[in-house]
């Protein structure tokens, strides 16, 4: 028997146990819980936003962030939307970030939690505009088109 794909399992759990806690993250010194339903709902909203930006299944989407709930939700959205995730280490330097963006053909870039944004800013300043999607502290998305 074939194992279900991770996104298939998430959809099942969101239906079978929507109010069970799936992720827990410290935000402003307080734990914030994310249920299966919350995570799938946010991921599907991201898919809708990416489709609204004109991204098609199979398009590459870069993601730079520390390990956090938003990273997982963005990655799940890419699975649900049939996008190809292009992860970039949050400690990557300007050269590495630039190389990944130049050669991956990413159509958009998710920006999550970073300790230092200098390398990312430097890399983005020297390239053609790529739409960026940033996670705000209230778990909303902020979009910059170029």
């Amino acid at each position: 028997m074939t194992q279900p794909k991770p996104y298939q399992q998430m959809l099942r759990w969101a239906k079978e146990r929507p109010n069970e806690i799936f992720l827990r993250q410290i935000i402003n010194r307080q734990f914030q819980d994310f249920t299966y339903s919350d995570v799938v709902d946010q991921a599907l909203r991201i898919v809708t936003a990416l489709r609204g930006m004109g991204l098609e299944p199979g398009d590459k989407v870069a993601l730079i962030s520390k390990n956090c709930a938003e990273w997982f939700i963005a990655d799940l959205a890419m699975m649900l939307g049939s996008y190809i995730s292009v992860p970039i280490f949050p400690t990557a330097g300007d050269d590495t970030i630039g190389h990944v963006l130049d050669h991956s053909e990413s159509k958009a870039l998710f920006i999550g939690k970073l300790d230092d944004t200098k390398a990312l800013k430097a890399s983005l300043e020297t390239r053609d505009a790529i739409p960026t999607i940033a996670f705000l502290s209230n778990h909303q998305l902020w979009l910059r088109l170029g």
Side-chain angles (χ1 to χ4, degrees):
M1 183 169 145
T2 305
Q3 289 291 323
K5 294 181 173 135
Y7 70 88
Q8 293 169 327
Q9 200 67 1
M10 282 298 300
L11 292 171
R12 187 179 119 218
W13 289 333
K15 184 182 259 185
E16 290 177 2
R17 41 180 125 162
N19 298 318
E20 282 187 29
I21 296 170
F22 175 65
L23 297 172
R24 176 173 281 161
Q25 174 145 350
I26 295 176
I27 299 170
N28 297 326
R29 297 182 178 193
Q30 302 266 332
F31 279 109
Q32 177 160 350
D33 295 334
F34 297 82
T35 65
Y36 285 100
S37 174
D38 294 334
V39 169
V40 168
D41 179 64
Q42 288 183 40
L44 290 171
R45 288 173 188 267
I46 291 170
V47 172
T48 300
L50 293 173
R51 292 280 195 276
M53 292 169 55
L55 275 73
E56 299 289 332
D59 284 344
K60 296 169 186 85
V61 180
L63 170 60
I64 186 168
S65 178
K66 292 170 44 175
N67 185 7
C68 61
E70 292 86 0
W71 188 99
F72 182 85
I73 294 166
D75 197 57
L76 176 63
M78 287 187 258
M79 285 185 249
L80 289 168
S82 297
Y83 298 108
I84 298 169
S85 178
V86 180
I88 303 172
F89 280 105
T91 57
D94 176 19
D95 290 341
T96 300
I97 295 168
H99 182 81
V100 171
L101 292 177
D102 290 344
H103 296 282
S104 70
E105 301 175 358
S106 291
K107 304 266 175 118
L109 169 65
F110 278 102
I111 302 170
K113 293 177 178 24
L114 299 171
D115 290 330
D116 186 351
T117 59
K118 288 180 204 158
L120 177 62
K121 286 179 183 178
S123 186
L124 291 176
E125 285 175 1
T126 61
R127 298 195 151 58
D128 289 338
I130 181 171
T132 58
I133 304 116
F135 291 101
L136 303 176
S137 60
N138 61 359
H139 305 288
Q140 299 298 311
L141 295 175
W142 177 79
L143 174 64
R144 181 182 72 92
L145 298 172

